[in-house]
mmCIF file of all heavy atoms in Angstrom:
data_model
loop_
_atom_site.group_PDB
_atom_site.id
_atom_site.type_symbol
_atom_site.label_atom_id
_atom_site.label_comp_id
_atom_site.label_asym_id
_atom_site.label_seq_id
_atom_site.Cartn_x
_atom_site.Cartn_y
_atom_site.Cartn_z
ATOM 1 N N LEU H 190 6.831 -20.036 18.392
ATOM 2 C CA LEU H 190 5.384 -19.896 18.475
ATOM 3 C C LEU H 190 5.084 -18.405 18.369
ATOM 4 O O LEU H 190 5.452 -17.628 19.262
ATOM 5 C CB LEU H 190 4.851 -20.459 19.796
ATOM 6 C CG LEU H 190 3.352 -20.240 20.048
ATOM 7 C CD1 LEU H 190 2.508 -20.922 18.980
ATOM 8 C CD2 LEU H 190 2.959 -20.738 21.438
ATOM 9 N N ARG H 247 -3.741 -6.963 21.355
ATOM 10 C CA ARG H 247 -4.234 -5.716 21.959
ATOM 11 C C ARG H 247 -3.611 -5.480 23.329
ATOM 12 O O ARG H 247 -3.628 -6.372 24.187
ATOM 13 C CB ARG H 247 -5.753 -5.753 22.066
ATOM 14 C CG ARG H 247 -6.471 -5.502 20.757
ATOM 15 C CD ARG H 247 -7.956 -5.677 20.898
ATOM 16 N NE ARG H 247 -8.297 -7.075 21.135
ATOM 17 C CZ ARG H 247 -9.542 -7.541 21.263
ATOM 18 N NH1 ARG H 247 -10.557 -6.700 21.187
ATOM 19 N NH2 ARG H 247 -9.771 -8.824 21.472
ATOM 20 N N THR H 251 -7.451 -7.954 26.420
ATOM 21 C CA THR H 251 -8.766 -8.600 26.306
ATOM 22 C C THR H 251 -8.687 -9.920 25.539
ATOM 23 O O THR H 251 -9.629 -10.709 25.576
ATOM 24 C CB THR H 251 -9.771 -7.664 25.623
ATOM 25 O OG1 THR H 251 -9.202 -7.182 24.388
ATOM 26 C CG2 THR H 251 -10.088 -6.470 26.517
ATOM 27 N N TYR H 268 11.870 -19.348 25.570
ATOM 28 C CA TYR H 268 12.411 -17.985 25.645
ATOM 29 C C TYR H 268 11.335 -17.046 25.110
ATOM 30 O O TYR H 268 10.916 -17.154 23.953
ATOM 31 C CB TYR H 268 13.684 -17.884 24.808
ATOM 32 C CG TYR H 268 14.391 -16.549 24.891
ATOM 33 C CD1 TYR H 268 15.081 -16.181 26.035
ATOM 34 C CD2 TYR H 268 14.386 -15.671 23.816
ATOM 35 C CE1 TYR H 268 15.749 -14.955 26.109
ATOM 36 C CE2 TYR H 268 15.054 -14.446 23.871
ATOM 37 C CZ TYR H 268 15.733 -14.097 25.028
ATOM 38 O OH TYR H 268 16.395 -12.893 25.098
ATOM 39 N N THR H 313 10.960 -9.081 34.941
ATOM 40 C CA THR H 313 11.561 -10.277 34.344
ATOM 41 C C THR H 313 12.347 -9.988 33.067
ATOM 42 O O THR H 313 13.108 -10.843 32.613
ATOM 43 C CB THR H 313 10.472 -11.313 33.999
ATOM 44 O OG1 THR H 313 9.644 -10.803 32.946
ATOM 45 C CG2 THR H 313 9.612 -11.627 35.211
ATOM 46 N N GLU H 341 8.029 12.699 -14.601
ATOM 47 C CA GLU H 341 7.464 13.750 -15.448
ATOM 48 C C GLU H 341 6.080 13.402 -15.991
ATOM 49 O O GLU H 341 5.325 14.285 -16.425
ATOM 50 C CB GLU H 341 8.400 14.059 -16.613
ATOM 51 C CG GLU H 341 8.671 12.890 -17.552
ATOM 52 C CD GLU H 341 9.871 12.057 -17.116
ATOM 53 O OE1 GLU H 341 10.255 12.137 -15.931
ATOM 54 O OE2 GLU H 341 10.420 11.345 -17.979
ATOM 55 N N HIS H 393 -6.982 5.996 1.136
ATOM 56 C CA HIS H 393 -6.812 4.881 0.211
ATOM 57 C C HIS H 393 -6.202 3.693 0.954
ATOM 58 O O HIS H 393 -5.402 3.870 1.874
ATOM 59 C CB HIS H 393 -5.864 5.254 -0.935
ATOM 60 C CG HIS H 393 -6.371 6.370 -1.803
ATOM 61 N ND1 HIS H 393 -7.352 6.185 -2.749
ATOM 62 C CD2 HIS H 393 -6.023 7.688 -1.876
ATOM 63 C CE1 HIS H 393 -7.583 7.335 -3.371
ATOM 64 N NE2 HIS H 393 -6.803 8.260 -2.849
ATOM 65 N N ASP H 396 -4.322 -1.694 -3.086
ATOM 66 C CA ASP H 396 -3.917 -1.319 -4.440
ATOM 67 C C ASP H 396 -4.265 0.135 -4.753
ATOM 68 O O ASP H 396 -3.549 0.807 -5.499
ATOM 69 C CB ASP H 396 -4.587 -2.239 -5.464
ATOM 70 C CG ASP H 396 -4.041 -3.658 -5.413
ATOM 71 O OD1 ASP H 396 -2.917 -3.845 -4.889
ATOM 72 O OD2 ASP H 396 -4.731 -4.580 -5.881
ATOM 73 N N ASP H 459 11.137 11.439 24.048
ATOM 74 C CA ASP H 459 11.254 11.518 22.590
ATOM 75 C C ASP H 459 10.678 10.245 21.970
ATOM 76 O O ASP H 459 11.295 9.180 22.002
ATOM 77 C CB ASP H 459 12.732 11.684 22.200
ATOM 78 C CG ASP H 459 12.918 11.722 20.682
ATOM 79 O OD1 ASP H 459 11.914 11.874 19.957
ATOM 80 O OD2 ASP H 459 14.070 11.596 20.226
ATOM 81 N N PHE H 463 10.976 7.846 12.390
ATOM 82 C CA PHE H 463 10.841 7.452 10.993
ATOM 83 C C PHE H 463 9.726 6.402 10.920
ATOM 84 O O PHE H 463 9.568 5.588 11.828
ATOM 85 C CB PHE H 463 12.171 6.845 10.530
ATOM 86 C CG PHE H 463 12.214 6.377 9.106
ATOM 87 C CD1 PHE H 463 12.724 7.201 8.115
ATOM 88 C CD2 PHE H 463 11.767 5.119 8.749
ATOM 89 C CE1 PHE H 463 12.783 6.767 6.793
ATOM 90 C CE2 PHE H 463 11.817 4.680 7.446
ATOM 91 C CZ PHE H 463 12.328 5.508 6.460
ATOM 92 N N GLU H 598 -35.228 -18.113 12.888
ATOM 93 C CA GLU H 598 -35.290 -19.576 12.961
ATOM 94 C C GLU H 598 -34.312 -20.213 11.990
ATOM 95 O O GLU H 598 -33.664 -21.224 12.306
ATOM 96 C CB GLU H 598 -36.714 -20.058 12.669
ATOM 97 C CG GLU H 598 -37.740 -19.658 13.726
ATOM 98 C CD GLU H 598 -37.409 -20.261 15.096
ATOM 99 O OE1 GLU H 598 -36.829 -21.364 15.135
ATOM 100 O OE2 GLU H 598 -37.737 -19.621 16.114
ATOM 101 N N ALA H 645 -29.379 -20.830 6.236
ATOM 102 C CA ALA H 645 -29.590 -19.520 6.870
ATOM 103 C C ALA H 645 -30.463 -18.605 6.026
ATOM 104 O O ALA H 645 -30.989 -17.609 6.523
ATOM 105 C CB ALA H 645 -28.240 -18.852 7.111
#
Side-chain angles (χ1 to χ4, degrees):
L190 174 61
R247 283 175 292 182
T251 52
Y268 184 73
T313 67
E341 61 271 20
H393 297 283
D396 290 340
D459 178 13
F463 180 96
E598 293 298 329

